[in-house]
Amino acid sequence: MIINMNKRKTSFYYLVFTLLLLITIVITASVGSANITIYDSLKVLLSKMPLIRNLMDTSDIPKNYVTIIWNIRIPRILLSGLSGASLALVGACFQGLFRNPLADPQILGISSGAALGATIATLSGVTISFFGLGVIGAFAFIGALLTVLLVYQIAFTGSTGSVTHIVLTGTAISSMLSAMISLLMSIRREQIEKVYMWTLGSFSAASMKKVGFLLLFFIVCATIIIVHARELNIIAAGEETAESLGIDTLKVKRTLIIVGSLLVAACVSVCGIIGFVGLIIPHVIRLLLGPRHERLLPFSCIFGAFFLIVCDTLARTLRAPGEFPVGVITALFGAPYFLLLLYRDKKRMV
């Protein structure tokens, strides 16, 4: 009976969160400087869907509105949603894997590697593109991957791979890369603003090619991470317990670190560095549904997508026709919540 109630509760939350996400997509597609109604936005979206596209008449909607919704806003909404889902998923995964509620997707120095790649691309002045990514995005992706490879080679020497060793390795490499970025920026001071704005995150250059690029990584990586939900539950309780139950903790850590890092690298390459999503979203889901990763991982994806879509909509509308970096908006929401978590934990310890 308890199991059935848990399944009913989980199914109910799936329905509510999914509907909330779909409604958010429709509403945010209508928000902007152009006077587009929610109803028109819904009609345009439905007119692009298979099977029902012929049932929707959009002849009464100006063509420029259709273009704004489908070619400009929807790619941006989809890219921000995928990015939010990716960061929240990896955050939930790493927090369980490292048994650290403060762990986030950037804990291994991935963001610093991506930022160094972006800095080199910016200073080089090259303008070619790869797989829909501009040169900055492509260099950021390569920089993130090389950083992951370096952390992996150092942290997993021989049969070692302790949580402390992995985190300290990522921290040391991140500090080294940050110093290299500062050195390059001091040499080319005129490019500082461009590099700095990239590090704050933005979806202003969103396109369907970037959506397809990130979607491919998300499908593969999210599947692998969610398949390991049971192992994450046991590892979160302690590595000794996990090994006594026959789980190869070192193999699981290697797999999830590589897969999670690949997903974060892909995410950072299309939108820059966005903080707090992977840190706070898993905490919110734990408060609602508990710590079991079978629920935590997929619900973090859904709520992460919702959160970043809303933040990006605020970023592009609060200062219209200009926009704020989306990383600033996530920080304005995330930092106070994070401080609240710390304060609550401190009161528990007293």
Side-chain angles (χ1 to χ4, degrees):
M1 184 67 180
I2 295 176
I3 294 176
N4 289 334
M5 288 298 293
N6 286 336
K7 286 184 176 179
R8 288 180 184 178
K9 182 179 179 181
T10 301
S11 299
F12 173 74
Y13 276 114
Y14 268 123
L15 178 62
V16 171
F17 276 46
T18 302
L19 285 176
L20 178 64
L21 180 59
L22 293 175
I23 292 170
T24 301
I25 291 173
V26 175
I27 293 175
T28 53
S30 67
V31 175
S33 55
N35 187 24
I36 302 174
T37 66
I38 295 175
Y39 180 64
D40 286 345
S41 175
L42 178 62
K43 286 176 64 177
V44 171
L45 294 179
L46 292 177
S47 71
K48 302 296 182 178
M49 300 295 104
L51 302 179
I52 61 173
R53 64 178 63 181
N54 295 328
L55 302 177
M56 302 305 302
D57 180 19
T58 59
S59 58
D60 59 327
I61 303 175
K63 290 185 178 180
N64 62 317
Y65 282 12
V66 176
T67 300
I68 290 172
I69 293 172
W70 191 250
N71 295 340
I72 299 176
R73 292 182 184 171
I74 286 300
R76 182 162 184 160
I77 291 169
L78 292 178
L79 192 62
S80 60
L82 277 172
S83 299
S86 300
L87 293 172
L89 175 67
V90 177
C93 173
F94 281 3
Q95 286 172 15
L97 191 64
F98 297 133
R99 304 193 305 280
N100 185 347
L102 301 182
D104 71 351
Q106 283 80 34
I107 196 171
L108 300 180
I110 301 170
S111 294
S112 295
L116 178 60
T119 302
I120 294 172
T122 301
L123 300 183
S124 70
V126 180
T127 57
I128 57 177
S129 63
F130 307 88
F131 303 105
L133 299 178
V135 65
I136 293 178
F139 272 56
F141 184 67
I142 294 170
L145 291 185
L146 291 177
T147 302
V148 172
L149 180 61
L150 182 59
V151 172
Y152 181 88
Q153 290 296 326
I154 295 174
F156 288 98
T157 303
S159 59
T160 64
S162 69
V163 171
T164 303
H165 195 195
I166 296 168
V167 173
L168 289 178
T169 301
T171 302
I173 290 176
S174 178
S175 298
M176 179 185 69
L177 296 178
S178 297
M180 293 174 66
I181 293 170
S182 298
L183 178 63
L184 290 173
M185 290 173 66
S186 66
I187 295 173
R188 295 286 297 274
R189 294 178 181 273
E190 69 278 6
Q191 298 289 349
I192 288 178
E193 182 178 355
K194 189 173 183 180
V195 175
Y196 178 70
M197 292 301 293
W198 183 87
T199 62
L200 294 177
S202 174
F203 295 102
S204 60
S207 67
M208 279 302 189
K209 286 184 178 180
K210 289 184 178 180
V211 171
F213 172 80
L214 184 55
L215 180 62
L216 176 62
F217 278 89
F218 178 77
I219 291 173
V220 175
C221 296
T223 300
I224 295 173
I225 292 173
I226 292 174
V227 164
H228 285 83
R230 176 182 169 274
E231 287 89 342
L232 278 171
N233 287 333
I234 301 172
I235 290 174
E239 290 190 25
E240 293 183 359
T241 302
E243 289 174 357
S244 68
L245 294 173
I247 294 177
D248 188 343
T249 57
L250 185 61
K251 181 180 178 181
V252 173
K253 281 191 290 187
R254 284 175 170 172
T255 300
L256 293 182
I257 285 174
I258 291 173
V259 170
S261 298
L262 279 173
L263 184 54
V264 174
C267 183
V268 171
S269 69
V270 299
C271 62
I273 300 171
I274 300 174
F276 287 101
V277 179
L279 182 62
I280 66 171
I281 296 302
H283 283 284
V284 174
I285 301 303
R286 283 192 195 92
L287 290 174
L288 289 174
L289 299 174
R292 292 190 63 83
H293 287 82
E294 292 89 348
R295 294 189 294 268
L296 178 62
L297 295 174
F299 278 106
S300 291
C301 288
I302 299 173
F303 197 70
F306 162 78
F307 176 72
L308 200 50
I309 288 173
V310 171
C311 287
D312 183 55
T313 302
L314 292 174
R316 67 179 172 83
T317 56
L318 290 177
R319 197 187 169 193
E323 65 176 71
F324 291 108
V326 68
V328 173
I329 305 298
T330 59
L332 288 175
F333 282 111
Y337 182 79
F338 182 59
L339 292 174
L340 180 63
L341 286 175
L342 292 177
Y343 177 73
R344 188 190 65 182
D345 289 342
K346 180 181 178 181
K347 288 189 69 176
R348 286 180 179 175
M349 295 174 65
V350 175

